[in-house]
Amino acid sequence: MATNLVRFETGAGPRWGVVTGTQIAPLSGDYPNTAALIERGEADWREASGRTTRIALASVEILSPVTTPARLYCQGANYRQHMIESGMDPDSKPFNMFFTKADSSVCSAGDAVLRPAHVKLLDYEIELALVFRRPITSAITVTRETLADYVFAITIANDLSARDVQLPQTQFFKGKSYRGFCPIGPWLTVLEREEFPVIDQLALELDVNGAPRQRDTTANLVFKPAETISELSTFANIAPGDVLLTGTPSGCALRIPPPPIRKLVQLLPDRKFWKLFLAAQARRPQYLKPGDRISARILSRDGRINLGEQLTEIVGP
């Protein structure tokens, strides 16, 4: 069965453990980062669930299971309906849109996230994240059958985005990389090889203040993990513990105007265009405000594979 590996703090420094229900079975070894856990922790975490020592999950501080430094690679517009909402044809897109986030954006699944004072259009993006198992330093071909050789675990990520920076400044990296803009976890779900097909059957759910905002399944990914990693390997190096965010479903706060209107307003001078765009977006109440609480979950339909739940509160400066 899949194993949920959590990184936590009890006051004596970060530790790793296996989540079993509402308890943690601590690992006996010392793994200072995610790469060390991947490279030499398997025997430890496979034995941990049989040990008698237990810690209540609610009694510890949950840390990000992805340690830094790490590379955060991201896919843009990778769900069919989200692509359609963005004015793209999912059946004619020949390649991925890749970008990166700074690893300073990584935080835990329970951390509060600061909305910077100058950001007014803060958006949410639930994503399935893949954590890499092994180095990749040249172009490779990954298949569904060999995906487990390259992916160590799956987890939840929220690609929080300052749309009023990302779009008018054409700054994906800057607009998505403010500190805290990438909650990850609460844990790493390590699949057995025979469980890897479930990656194509996971349900993603994101609520804001209890109201549903995003609902989709990974069955609707346009570019699947194996072909994505193959394409990524043609230009990017990857190390154990690096992460790939696989895209977000429809339902974000951002709304792109329909093609006829978009073509018309794009004839305007640049400054006028962005003034109108930002004014239209500012009228949308879906953008995140201080005090908002985000709940994000990813799980299989039968509940056997459960990546846990992120609970993120947005705070002001």
Side-chain angles (χ1 to χ4, degrees):
M1 291 181 60
T3 303
N4 295 324
L5 295 174
V6 67
R7 183 168 167 262
F8 63 97
E9 173 67 70
T10 60
R15 300 185 64 187
W16 293 89
V18 175
V19 177
T20 55
T22 60
Q23 296 184 316
I24 300 172
L27 303 194
S28 58
D30 179 27
Y31 308 101
N33 52 45
T34 308
L37 178 74
I38 294 169
E39 291 167 343
R40 52 185 174 85
E42 182 170 357
D44 197 353
W45 58 256
R46 287 197 180 276
E47 294 171 3
S49 56
R51 299 174 188 145
T52 56
T53 303
R54 291 287 190 276
I55 300 172
L57 189 61
S59 70
V60 301
E61 178 188 358
I62 303 300
L63 306 175
S64 168
V66 171
T67 57
T68 57
R71 300 181 184 98
L72 305 180
Y73 296 113
C74 307
Q75 291 175 262
N78 196 33
Y79 281 81
R80 294 190 65 85
Q81 189 57 40
H82 187 213
M83 200 176 286
I84 292 168
E85 282 184 358
S86 302
M88 306 176 192
D89 178 0
D91 296 317
S92 64
K93 189 179 180 187
F95 48 78
N96 271 288
M97 179 175 73
F98 288 110
F99 58 92
T100 59
K101 290 172 76 83
D103 63 7
S104 55
S105 66
V106 171
C107 69
S108 81
D111 283 346
V113 173
L114 174 69
R115 188 184 78 169
H118 65 283
V119 172
K120 305 304 179 187
L121 302 180
L122 179 60
D123 211 346
Y124 47 83
E125 294 190 12
I126 186 175
E127 307 207 13
L128 175 69
L130 312 179
V131 179
F132 287 99
R133 177 186 295 277
R134 61 196 292 183
I136 300 174
T137 57
S138 61
I140 57 170
T141 299
V142 181
T143 66
R144 288 171 58 90
E145 292 71 30
T146 62
L147 185 61
D149 295 333
Y150 299 94
V151 174
F152 172 71
I154 55 178
T155 189
I156 306 170
N158 189 350
D159 179 22
L160 291 165
S161 304
R163 303 299 193 192
D164 41 356
V165 175
Q166 173 196 350
L167 298 174
Q169 297 184 23
T170 60
Q171 289 274 11
F172 269 64
F173 184 66
K174 180 179 177 182
K176 291 172 171 281
S177 290
Y178 291 97
R179 292 172 182 86
F181 273 28
C182 193
I184 296 181
W187 48 67
L188 303 180
T189 297
V190 182
L191 302 173
E192 299 297 335
R193 182 174 289 269
E194 63 272 15
E195 294 175 314
F196 264 72
V198 80
I199 289 178
D200 295 332
Q201 306 161 25
L202 296 171
L204 292 81
E205 303 174 349
L206 183 141
D207 302 339
V208 177
N209 300 326
R213 295 287 182 88
Q214 291 183 286
R215 295 288 190 275
D216 211 330
T217 76
T218 51
N220 293 319
L221 283 170
V222 175
F223 294 99
K224 305 295 186 184
E227 62 182 310
T228 296
I229 296 171
S230 299
E231 184 181 349
L232 183 62
S233 76
T234 63
F235 65 91
N237 286 340
I238 292 165
D242 287 347
V243 181
L244 172 67
L245 279 62
T246 58
T248 197
S250 63
C252 296
L254 176 67
R255 278 296 179 272
I256 303 296
I261 296 177
R262 197 160 64 245
K263 289 179 180 178
L264 181 63
V265 296
Q266 283 175 342
L267 298 175
L268 296 171
D270 196 57
R271 182 174 296 182
K272 181 68 172 178
F273 168 80
W274 286 115
K275 183 177 180 180
L276 290 173
F277 177 82
L278 293 174
Q281 294 300 306
R283 291 192 290 270
R284 292 186 55 76
Q286 291 89 344
Y287 282 102
L288 297 167
K289 302 172 291 297
D292 284 346
R293 295 176 180 269
I294 307 167
S295 170
R297 302 167 297 278
I298 299 180
L299 66 164
S300 62
R301 288 300 185 188
D302 60 10
R304 288 181 58 252
I305 307 298
N306 189 335
L307 279 57
E309 183 176 27
Q310 290 190 358
L311 297 171
T312 305
E313 181 179 3
I314 304 300
V315 298

